[in-house]
Amino acid sequence: MDLKVGQLLASVVDSTTAIVISAPKTSASLTCGGVEMVEGKGPGGSGEIDPAHRGGAKLGKRYVDVDSGLELLCTKAGDGALAFGGKVLPEKTAKPLPASD
């Protein structure tokens, strides 16, 4: 699936939904709980999560893949971990503010 900015994606194994903030430069499979995500609000939550892909997605958190440029915003939390190209996406951390004296 080609990912586009603003695209809404849903998991088929749990309640996770996410919006694409920054589209990847490369094409690869985007999964949640080890199963490929679908476009739209989706069926949500009727499958089984691969035990290797547990860890959850948190509401309001951003997940990034620096290598491909992919950035997702989680709009609904779930138990499955988001992964792109088989690599679990880490949560984006805030940049530290510059020190002021």
Side-chain angles (χ1 to χ4, degrees):
M1 171 191 327
D2 289 332
L3 299 175
K4 301 172 198 148
V5 173
Q7 187 175 23
L8 179 63
L9 301 165
S11 171
V12 295
V13 295
D14 66 5
S15 59
T16 303
T17 60
I19 293 177
V20 177
I21 301 298
S22 177
K25 298 170 189 142
T26 59
S27 180
S29 175
L30 177 63
T31 62
C32 180
V35 180
E36 190 158 357
M37 295 183 83
V38 295
E39 189 169 357
K41 293 184 179 180
S46 60
E48 289 213 12
I49 298 172
D50 182 341
H53 292 271
R54 286 201 173 273
K58 298 175 188 168
L59 176 67
K61 297 296 181 183
R62 292 176 184 240
Y63 294 88
V64 295
D65 181 34
V66 176
D67 297 335
S68 68
L70 173 65
E71 183 171 339
L72 300 171
L73 172 64
C74 180
T75 56
K76 196 169 182 184
D79 294 331
L82 297 168
F84 184 69
K87 188 171 73 173
V88 174
L89 298 176
E91 192 176 306
K92 185 176 182 179
T93 57
K95 291 181 182 177
L97 295 173
S100 62
D101 293 324

